Amino acid sequence: MSDQVVQQSQTNGSVDSVPIEVQRIMRTGTIWTAAGMLAPVLGLGPLVAAGWRPADLAGGIELVFWIGTLVATAGLGLLMWAGCPVMAYTVDQAYTQKKHSIRIGICMNLAGMALVGLVLLLSPAVG
């Protein structure tokens, strides 16, 4: 019985199908890109509006802030690549590229934002 279910799900466009997987990665890559664009705006916008600037941080902490920003930006670039439509590559090549792009992009984007968030939490209060 369970073999029939597995065979039936594989014939009805399962997640193992490379074209369907590429479509899923592009769809979720777009969602992750939107989240990666909105999170810093929602977090840093009020701080910048209140007068906070990265230059206000002590020397080493400011460098950590900018390193986190660069890591998050590189991750966002990978997420954008994962969300782009496939034009110049075969589906198999696109699957390999997008699979790695979305995995590494999510990790880099979240790690960079977490690092920036830690710097913000450890920085002196705006006042």
Side-chain angles (χ1 to χ4, degrees), residues 1-14 16:
M1 174 84 172
S2 65
D3 291 337
Q4 291 174 341
V5 172
V6 170
Q7 289 175 349
Q8 184 180 8
S9 68
Q10 288 177 347
T11 59
N12 291 336
S14 71
D16 295 334

Side-chain angles (χ1 to χ4, degrees), residues 33-52:
T33 299
M37 297 283 287
L38 290 175
V41 170
L42 294 175
L44 286 175
L47 288 174
V48 172
W52 180 86

Side-chain angles (χ1 to χ4, degrees), residues 54-68 115 119:
D56 296 341
L57 298 169
I61 301 296
E62 182 183 4
L63 179 64
V64 174
F65 174 86
W66 289 114
I67 289 171
L115 189 59
V119 167

Side-chain angles (χ1 to χ4, degrees), residues 81 85-91 93-94 97:
W81 176 253
V86 179
M87 298 286 202
Y89 300 100
T90 65
V91 175
Q93 290 172 328
Q97 292 173 1

